[in-house]
Amino acid sequence: MRPLLTEVVTSDDRPHTARAEFESIRSKRLLPTWKLFAGFAGLLIGFAWTWVGYVSTRDYTRSIESAQKSADNLSLAFAQQVALRVELVDRILLEIASRLGEDPAFDLGRWTARNPAAMDRVLDLVVIASGSSARASSDQEERRPSAEEGELFRILTAPDAPGLAVSRRSVDRATGRGIVRVGRALGQAGIVAAVVEADTLLSHGSRIDVGTKGIVSISAGDGTLTARLPAPRMPQGLLSETWLASSRTLSASERCSIGRSSLDGIARIVCTHEVPNAPLAATVALAMDETSADFAASRRNYYVWALFFSFGAAAFALHFFFREKRMEQFARALADSEGHLREQGIALTTTLDSVAEGIALFGPDDRLKLLNRRGYDLLAIPRTAEEEQWHLIQILEWQIAQGHFEEFPPGTPVQRLIDEQYGGLGLKHSLPVFARHRADGCVLEIRTYPSKDGGTTRTYTDVTERERTARALETAKEAAEAGNRAKTEFVATMSHEIRTPLNGVLGMASLLSDTPLDDRQRHYVGTIRRCGDALLSIVDDILDFSKLEAGRIDLEHIPFETSEVARSVSDILEPKAAEKGLAITYSEDVDFPKRSCGDPNRLRQVLWNLVGNALKFTDEGWISIEATVVKGPDGPRLRYSVSDTGIGIPEEARHRLFRQFEQTDPSVSRRFGGTGLGLAIVRRIVEAFGGELGVVSETGKGSTFWFEIPHVEPSSSDQEAAQAEDALPAGRRILVVEDNGINQEVAHALLTKLGHDVVLASGGPEALERIREGRFDLVLMDLNMPLMDGYETARAIRESAGENAEVPIVATTADASLEARERCLAAGMQGFVSKPFDIARLKAALSGGEVPPPPAATDGDAPLVDAGRLAELRDQLGAKLLAHLAEEFAAEASELPAGVAGTAEEMARSVHNLRGSAANLGLVRTVALCDDLKAVIEAGADPAEALAATLAAARESAGVLAASALAEAA
């Protein structure tokens, strides 16, 4: 019985029991109980707030005393300034009184006119002789005194009258401004008074800084306001401002107190001083909230620090409170957790023993710590291995000794097994997943996982049945693939076997048509040719579809001219369309890409089938090919549409269009022929491009077949290669060694177009003669030549002592095998270019770069002419030279029967020459038939049938070449 899993793992991965954890926490307790910490925290909080209260009171008292001193000093200074203003007015009054005493008839108006500086300080001067007569300096007319003037007269003529008196504030009716009257007695003659604007007494008060809420005011002896800054928000007139005393008084001075204004209700520190030598009082009041602003900021800081201190003390107490509670809860849960852990250990052991996989735990030292029951069954080791903590080496030694390993018999050193399966370093370096085959046939899948503690976990799964099923499925898959291959090979073989005699029939019919025949015989021969062509088209479709169905479609990814593909199809089929009185047109959008990357030959095959179908089902009207660019889900797409004015397709039959071996109606097959494979092939190719295909049709009016394929911009490497090729230096002197006349002309025309000086040699001896005559920059060497082949000629050049001994030699041949390449290198050649010739291969050979591979070999299922190759020849050679080559090829083909009738070497030479010419001109069917003819000759069979088929294809191909050249010239 294995021990129960009663350990827990802490964050530092050190195992210890729950009781040890509890004892560790209890040993860390610093004080006996949380209550003591709570009391201590309360004392700290109380002390903090007591200190805050004391400091706040102290700072408040200091701020009030400082503000009171400031207000008292400002009030005193203000009273002295008001006294100076009153003294200036009093001097004017004394001057007037003196003049009146000297001259009772003193003219007050004339004096004011002569003393304008004195009148700047007062608004008017009034002499009041009695309580009922007054005369002002402004108009010199007698009038009755105003109420304020009468009151001033009464005060100054009283027995205990003061020397100077000031009236209450009143409103000047003319200006609406507040004024006061300052008067002085004239003895028995009455009084003289000066009318002064009340606010001029405050001229110095406006310069006193009392803050935004402070007050500067002057009041009369009875408490009414004479002037105030700021002015009260109420009409001008008699006002008095009283101060509601607060609960706090200032003991430092009786002149100052704290009160709230009766006019605006703002609490202020108010200080008042009597104006010397005048019955006025000057008051300065500072707002409490402004004078104590610094104190308020300090008090807020004190409160914040006190709050932080209080929270910290409370958190300190709460920490110990919760710590104590946690320890109590842990103590109560200790017994429950140990019991629960024991139950979990039992449950884990039961679970591990019930799973279908073997599970083993190994420590960092590769010793066994745990193995479930299934693990013991699969490993077949003693039940004491876990208790004794066997090492991995002990387990492997036991298993080897018991013959458990199929590949390690008993007696094998255990170190060999460790080296092979564990890299010689132990479990940590084992393969994550591997299979172990036991001697009894059992297969174990072993997975290894690293553990956090540095050990490993292993699982063992019996996958014997799964392996047997996988082997059975693989065997069935191989059998199915073999059957599919056999079917494909059978179809290809049968197509080839059918095509060979069929080509013979067509060839003989073609030869027969060139003999004198009457009309009935010529009709019979034409019927044979039409039926043969139809049957050959069916065989080609079946073979092409069988290759697509078997997945033997490989798309190229090369740059190509998008317009050239469609134009080549249109140009080749245009003569056939002209026979039916139809016109084929091609158009493209202005933004249609000029170049793209993909497989131009497969794209051309799709267009060929669609345009061919349009020709088949259209008797009058036109056929158009349109190219546009559209936006697809994966980027821009090339969209081609082929439209016709043919018979159209019924809506109920359109869903069968792209199925193999099906047509829209049986009558269509009887009338137009065909297998129903053309559109199925088109669909497979378009799907291989990753595109889509569709049709829009109306019965009796025509159809439009369209397809879209992804547009791939040529990569920078493609562009750079093209630019590098275009940048090749011209003016090289090149020797072309070639025994085939057509190949000579093609190579000469292409190299001349690239700007090089070309010298031709028809064989090895002539090449050596040209080498001795002058220097060359490059030699293009045909390998298969009479008298002296290319290998011998290259070795002779290398062995010569002239300046051309090291000239670069590039082989040109239709044999692209590895053996041929090795022979070329052994003969001293530097490069290898496969026929047929084209601009791309010649440029690559001249630049020393990688030469593009030749076109894929055909099985005879290709069309009569490679449309792409034909378009290239028209562009590169021109219509005139192409027509000339067509004539030469026809002449060369007519000489084939004579060559075949000769010796075996002459027969092989004639077929080889014709094949080379056909390959260079893109006549793919003639190339395939030449290969068939060569095989028949090598087998010693009668070549008549194969010869006829080859001649027929060659003549028809020459006609297509000539027609294409004429169309280009037109």
Side-chain angles (χ1 to χ4, degrees):
M1 185 69 181
R2 70 173 60 88
L4 296 177
L5 301 177
T6 58
E7 293 184 347
V8 295
V9 180
T10 62
S11 60
D12 58 356
D13 295 335
R14 292 178 302 177
H16 46 278
T17 63
R19 184 175 298 278
E21 171 70 11
F22 173 68
E23 293 297 336
S24 174
I25 294 177
R26 187 170 62 181
S27 64
K28 295 178 182 177
R29 295 172 56 187
L30 303 177
L31 294 174
T33 177
W34 65 271
K35 295 180 180 180
L36 179 62
F37 289 100
F40 181 66
L43 289 176
L44 291 178
I45 293 172
F47 171 77
W49 284 103
T50 301
W51 178 81
V52 168
Y54 164 75
V55 174
S56 297
T57 303
R58 181 198 64 189
D59 290 352
Y60 178 76
T61 302
R62 290 178 179 176
S63 66
I64 293 298
E65 291 177 354
S66 175
Q68 181 264 328
K69 290 180 181 179
S70 177
D72 191 36
N73 292 334
L74 291 174
S75 175
L76 177 60
F78 180 46
Q80 292 174 350
Q81 291 298 323
V82 172
L84 291 176
R85 298 291 296 183
V86 173
E87 183 181 356
L88 293 175
V89 175
D90 190 32
R91 289 179 183 177
I92 296 174
L93 295 178
L94 290 173
E95 176 69 19
I96 298 300
S98 174
R99 294 298 180 90
L100 286 173
E102 295 175 357
D103 183 8
F106 173 70
D107 188 350
L108 184 59
R110 182 178 298 174
W111 186 88
T112 57
R114 292 179 179 177
N115 294 274
M119 296 307 295
D120 289 341
R121 301 187 183 96
V122 298
L123 298 176
D124 200 1
L125 293 174
V126 180
V127 176
I128 304 173
S130 65
S132 59
S133 174
R135 179 168 51 88
S137 62
S138 58
D139 52 13
Q140 293 295 314
E141 294 182 1
E142 293 286 339
R143 60 175 175 79
R144 290 186 59 81
S146 64
E148 291 78 7
E149 292 172 344
E151 180 65 20
L152 187 64
F153 180 82
R154 184 185 61 78
I155 293 172
L156 290 174
T157 56
D160 55 348
L164 186 69
V166 180
S167 70
R168 293 180 178 179
R169 177 189 178 94
S170 61
V171 179
D172 187 1
R173 295 178 182 178
T175 62
R177 294 181 293 183
I179 58 174
V180 294
R181 295 169 174 82
V182 181
R184 179 172 287 277
L186 296 176
Q188 298 299 323
I191 68 171
V192 60
V195 180
V196 180
E197 186 177 356
D199 290 342
T200 59
L201 300 178
L202 291 174
S203 59
H204 179 72
S206 61
R207 296 194 294 269
I208 299 176
D209 183 13
V210 294
T212 59
K213 297 179 182 179
I215 294 174
V216 177
S217 65
I218 302 172
S219 56
D222 58 357
T224 59
L225 283 177
T226 300
R228 184 179 186 271
L229 283 179
R233 295 180 181 179
M234 55 191 305
Q236 297 283 356
L238 297 178
L239 294 177
S240 61
E241 184 173 22
T242 59
W243 300 91
L244 304 177
S246 65
S247 59
R248 180 177 177 82
T249 59
L250 299 177
S251 58
S253 173
E254 296 180 356
R255 295 184 299 272
C256 298
S257 64
I258 298 176
R260 195 175 297 276
S261 172
S262 61
L263 296 180
D264 56 18
I266 298 177
R268 297 180 176 88
I269 298 176
V270 184
C271 291
T272 303
H273 278 269
E274 294 182 356
V275 177
N277 303 318
L280 298 173
T283 301
V284 173
L286 304 179
M288 289 289 292
D289 56 352
E290 293 181 344
T291 58
S292 60
D294 293 340
F295 159 72
S298 299
R299 183 176 58 184
R300 282 195 299 271
N301 292 336
Y302 296 151
Y303 285 166
V304 169
W305 283 110
L307 285 174
F308 273 119
F309 187 81
S310 300
F311 285 140
F316 180 75
L318 288 174
H319 166 72
F320 283 96
F321 170 76
F322 287 115
R323 185 173 182 270
E324 189 76 18
K325 290 298 181 183
R326 184 169 66 89
M327 292 175 63
E328 293 175 1
Q329 292 173 0
F330 195 86
R332 286 194 300 268
L334 180 60
D336 295 340
S337 63
E338 289 184 344
H340 181 63
L341 194 60
R342 187 179 296 106
E343 293 174 359
Q344 284 185 329
I346 296 172
L348 179 59
T349 302
T350 304
T351 302
L352 289 176
D353 288 342
S354 63
V355 297
E357 294 181 337
I359 301 176
L361 301 180
F362 289 88
D365 56 354
D366 289 348
R367 291 191 174 275
L368 183 64
K369 296 175 61 179
L370 174 67
L371 183 63
N372 67 344
R373 183 178 292 116
R374 182 59 173 165
Y376 278 110
D377 294 340
L378 294 176
L379 296 181
I381 60 176
R383 298 283 175 171
T384 59
E386 178 184 346
E387 182 179 352
E388 297 174 1
Q389 294 191 351
W390 277 23
H391 194 276
L392 173 65
I393 294 178
Q394 292 177 265
I395 296 174
L396 296 178
E397 287 176 342
W398 172 274
Q399 292 179 320
I400 291 175
Q402 299 298 319
H404 290 181
F405 297 110
E406 183 179 41
E407 64 273 32
F408 302 107
T412 302
V414 69
Q415 189 61 41
R416 176 187 161 192
L417 188 151
I418 293 176
D419 291 341
E420 291 187 13
Q421 295 190 353
Y422 305 97
L425 300 173
L427 277 174
K428 297 184 188 65
H429 302 275
S430 170
L431 295 174
V433 183
F434 65 93
R436 176 179 294 168
H437 297 264
R438 295 201 323 199
D440 58 0
C442 176
V443 181
L444 296 182
E445 182 184 78
I446 302 175
R447 295 178 178 268
T448 305
Y449 308 92
S451 302
K452 289 184 177 181
D453 61 352
T456 51
T457 301
R458 268 201 162 183
T459 61
Y460 303 88
T461 307
D462 188 349
V463 295
T464 306
E465 290 300 322
R466 189 177 75 186
E467 288 288 321
R468 290 173 183 167
T469 303
R471 285 196 295 271
L473 290 175
E474 183 65 24
T475 302
K477 176 175 175 291
E478 292 175 355
E481 291 176 347
N484 193 38
R485 285 194 300 271
K487 181 190 72 171
T488 303
E489 292 171 0
F490 173 77
V491 172
T493 302
M494 291 305 298
S495 299
H496 183 73
E497 294 300 325
I498 293 173
R499 181 185 289 105
T500 300
L502 182 59
N503 282 327
V505 171
L506 292 174
M508 288 300 180
S510 178
L511 294 175
L512 185 59
S513 65
D514 293 336
T515 63
L517 301 172
D518 57 29
D519 293 340
R520 177 178 295 182
Q521 291 171 334
R522 192 169 300 280
H523 172 71
Y524 291 160
V525 171
T527 302
I528 292 173
R529 294 189 64 179
R530 286 193 299 273
C531 293
D533 287 337
L535 182 57
L536 186 62
S537 176
I538 292 173
V539 172
D540 289 343
D541 283 347
I542 292 175
L543 182 58
D544 204 4
F545 184 77
S546 67
K547 291 170 65 178
L548 291 172
E549 191 177 39
R552 292 168 55 194
I553 177 171
D554 297 322
L555 297 181
E556 289 186 296
H557 187 77
I558 59 175
F560 66 92
E561 300 290 337
T562 54
S563 301
E564 181 275 331
V565 175
R567 291 187 187 278
S568 65
V569 174
S570 172
D571 293 345
I572 294 173
L573 293 178
E574 192 169 3
K576 187 174 181 181
E579 293 176 2
K580 299 183 68 174
L582 303 175
I584 301 179
T585 62
Y586 170 73
S587 63
E588 62 183 33
D589 284 352
V590 294
D591 57 348
F592 190 71
K594 301 301 181 184
R595 290 174 60 82
S596 184
C597 262
D599 192 330
N601 292 324
R602 288 296 182 180
L603 176 58
R604 188 178 292 108
Q605 183 179 358
V606 172
L607 289 171
W608 183 279
N609 280 351
L610 294 180
V611 177
N613 274 357
L615 277 173
K616 181 191 298 185
F617 296 110
T618 303
D619 293 329
E620 59 181 14
W622 47 262
I623 298 170
S624 68
I625 307 173
E626 297 180 2
T628 58
V629 61
V630 296
K631 184 178 182 181
D634 51 354
R637 290 190 165 201
L638 305 180
R639 180 185 177 100
Y640 290 92
S641 302
V642 178
S643 303
D644 61 60
T645 56
I647 62 175
I649 305 169
E651 184 176 357
E652 62 274 9
R654 292 175 195 166
H655 67 281
R656 300 196 303 271
L657 275 177
F658 303 105
R659 298 178 183 174
Q660 59 266 29
F661 304 108
E662 287 196 20
Q663 292 187 332
T664 57
D665 189 85
S667 62
V668 173
S669 178
R670 290 193 298 270
R671 179 182 173 189
F672 297 99
T675 60
L677 284 176
L679 291 179
I681 293 172
V682 167
R683 178 176 63 85
R684 292 292 182 94
I685 295 176
V686 171
E687 289 175 351
F689 271 111
E692 54 182 329
L693 174 70
V695 62
V696 178
S697 182
E698 185 174 351
T699 305
K701 292 187 177 181
S703 305
T704 297
F705 284 83
W706 61 267
F707 66 92
E708 297 175 2
I709 59 175
H711 166 57
V712 180
E713 287 286 347
S715 64
S716 58
S717 59
D718 296 330
Q719 302 287 356
E720 291 172 1
Q723 293 173 2
E725 290 177 358
D726 293 339
L728 287 174
R732 294 186 180 188
R733 193 162 189 265
I734 301 174
L735 174 63
V736 177
V737 185
E738 172 65 58
D739 65 326
N740 184 290
I742 291 179
N743 289 349
Q744 281 186 349
E745 292 195 43
V746 172
H748 184 277
L750 295 179
L751 291 171
T752 302
K753 186 175 182 179
L754 292 176
H756 302 293
D757 181 17
V758 182
V759 177
L760 299 176
S762 299
E766 186 178 352
L768 295 177
E769 184 178 347
R770 297 286 179 269
I771 286 291
R772 287 192 293 270
E773 291 175 353
R775 187 186 64 82
F776 290 94
D777 298 310
L778 179 69
V779 176
L780 295 179
M781 181 74 68
D782 183 26
L783 297 182
N784 194 350
M785 295 182 295
L787 301 178
M788 188 177 189
D789 62 19
Y791 304 109
E792 296 179 34
T793 305
R795 282 193 289 268
I797 293 174
R798 293 289 179 246
E799 292 171 359
S800 66
E803 59 181 346
N804 290 316
E806 299 298 328
V807 63
I809 304 176
V810 176
T812 61
T813 180
D815 185 3
S817 65
L818 179 61
E819 181 182 357
R821 291 174 182 265
E822 292 176 351
R823 288 188 64 189
C824 290
L825 296 176
M829 303 185 202
Q830 282 80 18
F832 188 97
V833 58
S834 300
K835 294 179 182 178
F837 295 121
D838 63 14
I839 289 290
R841 293 186 181 86
L842 290 177
K843 281 185 177 181
L846 295 176
S847 64
E850 182 178 353
V851 180
T858 64
D859 297 328
D861 59 333
L864 187 68
V865 177
D866 182 354
R869 178 62 175 169
L870 182 55
E872 290 178 4
L873 291 175
R874 278 202 316 271
D875 294 340
Q876 297 168 2
L877 304 181
K880 184 176 180 180
L881 180 55
L882 184 60
H884 172 67
L885 292 177
E887 294 176 1
E888 284 198 6
F889 180 75
E892 185 178 350
S894 64
E895 298 173 359
L896 183 61
V900 173
T903 64
E905 183 179 353
E906 290 174 347
M907 286 191 292
R909 171 65 52 194
S910 298
V911 174
H912 172 77
N913 287 339
L914 184 64
R915 185 194 186 283
S917 299
N920 252 330
L921 296 176
L923 310 181
V924 289
R925 184 175 296 177
T926 303
V927 171
L929 292 174
C930 284
D931 291 338
D932 293 344
L933 178 58
K934 182 180 179 182
V936 170
I937 292 173
E938 291 176 351
D942 184 7
E945 191 175 300
L947 174 61
T950 304
L951 287 175
R955 289 174 179 174
E956 189 175 358
S957 301
V960 172
L961 280 179
S964 178
L966 290 175
E968 178 70 14

